[in-house]
Amino acid sequence: MFSKWSIQLKYSLIFILTLALIVAGLFIGIYTLKTIQLRNEATASAEQVIAFRAWVANTGVIWVDHLAPEFRDFLGKRTSSDNALEFFSKNPALATRELSEIVSKTATRATFRVTSDEYRNPANAPDAFETASIQSFKNDRNQKYQEAFEGNFYRYSQPIFVQQSCLKCHGDPKDAPPDVIAKYGDKRAFGYKVGDVRGIISVKLPDVTLAQVFLTFLNPFTVALIVLAFLLNFLFTQKAIINRLKDLAKTTERLAQGELDLPLQGNPDSRDEVDHVRHAINLLRNSVVVAMKRLQKTLSDRKSVV
């Protein structure tokens, strides 16, 4: 059936199929690009959190002279020698959690939290994605990250490895500060060694849909170029191929009907395939004319002999 279709129909179908493949490839490229962009954004956020957490851990705790109304939690409490001032300590976990809550209320796209399978605060319990990430990092410490798309969000996690400065609060309970034991007890989140997976930085970003990314390409210039490409393709196919083939077919039919004196010029030096066909038909016409003249001469000679 395909062989009975016109070249114009065949070309149109091939063109549409090619266009569909290009669009599919474009969508795949856009999906990959937006995933890389989200991953890079999440990685930058995670690295900043790790740097902040390391800074707090290297100092042991940070002390503040008052508690903000929305952040009343603290690790330890001290008073000045004259009892005039009170100071409250914040360990890395508390400082990071408060930073996370502050960031979540800003206009930034990325929100984060620090969590572990050995969490001390129930508010830091990992969800399903975070639990799977923690287990995956523990099974393979060479993994750099885990990622997933959940609903309208991009999820990213990055492991936190135990450093020497972490062992003061997460090594042997006997070496832990009294404030840590008093607040969390001596059973949970202890016994770690340098290099162990303590937990993860979990980052959440609003997903960018393919439709949103694709719409960024639909500006007037892009649309104009696409329309121009369609017009050029249509005009070239119609005028340079289809119309010329139709004209050549009609001329060939007239030649077959005996109109051998029709002009049929073709450039033998042309690289155009239609010109090649025209030139071949012209040679065939000339051969037919020569053959007919020879046949007429032979018939005339025979009549003269008779």
Side-chain angles (χ1 to χ4, degrees):
M1 184 178 69
F2 187 77
S3 61
K4 296 181 179 180
W5 295 351
S6 67
I7 293 179
Q8 188 170 15
L9 178 58
K10 293 177 183 177
Y11 182 83
S12 298
L13 292 175
I14 294 298
F15 179 79
I16 293 173
L17 178 60
T18 302
L19 183 63
L21 292 174
I22 292 174
V23 171
L26 180 62
F27 268 101
I28 293 173
I30 290 175
Y31 182 84
T32 303
L33 178 63
K34 72 112 172 182
T35 302
I36 293 174
Q37 179 62 33
L38 289 170
R39 185 187 306 145
N40 290 340
E41 190 174 346
T43 301
S45 297
E47 292 296 339
Q48 291 174 352
V49 174
I50 290 176
F52 172 76
R53 188 180 176 88
W55 172 76
V56 178
N58 287 334
T59 62
V61 295
I62 55 174
W63 291 89
V64 296
D65 59 4
H66 70 280
L67 296 174
E70 64 272 29
F71 302 120
R72 306 300 299 175
D73 202 3
F74 60 90
L75 179 64
K77 180 180 178 181
R78 301 288 186 274
T79 58
S80 61
S81 57
D82 58 358
N83 294 324
L85 295 174
E86 289 184 328
F87 297 93
F88 306 90
S89 65
K90 306 276 188 177
N91 61 348
L94 277 177
T96 307
R97 179 158 59 86
E98 292 179 6
L99 176 63
S100 173
E101 292 182 21
I102 292 172
V103 170
S104 67
K105 297 175 183 178
T106 65
T108 183
R109 281 169 35 85
T111 57
F112 67 88
R113 64 194 298 261
V114 178
T115 185
S116 172
D117 54 345
E118 286 287 332
Y119 57 90
R120 287 170 170 170
N121 190 325
N124 291 336
D127 60 21
F129 167 77
E130 293 162 343
T131 299
S133 295
I134 294 168
Q135 190 59 48
S136 181
F137 290 133
K138 285 188 173 183
N139 293 337
D140 183 4
R141 298 186 184 184
N142 292 323
Q143 289 186 80
K144 301 299 182 182
Y145 63 88
Q146 287 285 312
E147 62 183 350
F149 288 93
E150 293 182 355
N152 296 323
F153 291 95
Y154 168 80
R155 303 292 304 275
Y156 172 92
S157 63
Q158 186 173 310
I160 299 175
F161 295 102
V162 174
Q163 306 294 327
Q164 186 64 41
S165 59
C166 304
L167 295 181
K168 184 177 180 180
C169 296
H170 296 288
D172 192 328
K174 297 178 181 179
D175 300 327
D179 289 339
V180 172
I181 301 299
K183 186 173 182 64
Y184 301 115
D186 61 355
K187 304 298 183 184
R188 198 165 184 83
F190 287 108
Y192 285 94
K193 302 183 295 297
V194 172
D196 286 348
V197 176
R198 170 66 186 102
I200 61 169
I201 302 291
S202 177
V203 181
K204 180 185 287 189
L205 283 164
D207 187 18
V208 179
T209 65
L210 291 177
Q212 290 173 325
V213 178
F214 191 73
L215 285 175
T216 61
F217 291 92
L218 294 182
N219 55 71
F221 296 102
T222 304
V223 173
L225 289 174
I226 293 174
V227 172
L228 180 60
F230 271 100
L231 289 177
L232 289 176
N233 190 281
F234 174 78
L235 292 175
F236 173 80
T237 305
Q238 190 68 32
K239 293 185 175 297
I241 300 177
I242 304 300
N243 289 347
R244 293 173 65 200
L245 287 176
K246 287 181 178 180
D247 180 65
L248 185 58
K250 291 179 180 179
T251 302
T252 305
E253 290 175 359
R254 292 176 64 184
L255 289 174
Q257 293 172 359
E259 299 182 43
L260 299 178
D261 57 344
L262 288 175
L264 189 65
Q265 299 298 325
N267 184 2
D269 298 326
S270 173
R271 295 185 179 181
D272 189 310
E273 287 78 0
V274 177
D275 282 341
H276 290 177
V277 175
R278 185 183 293 275
H279 179 65
I281 293 175
N282 190 41
L283 292 177
L284 179 60
R285 187 265 306 273
N286 293 339
S287 298
V288 171
V289 170
V290 171
M292 289 184 66
K293 288 182 178 180
R294 288 179 178 175
L295 179 59
Q296 290 175 354
K297 184 176 184 303
T298 300
L299 292 176
S300 177
D301 291 341
R302 286 181 179 178
K303 288 180 181 179
S304 299
V305 172
V306 174

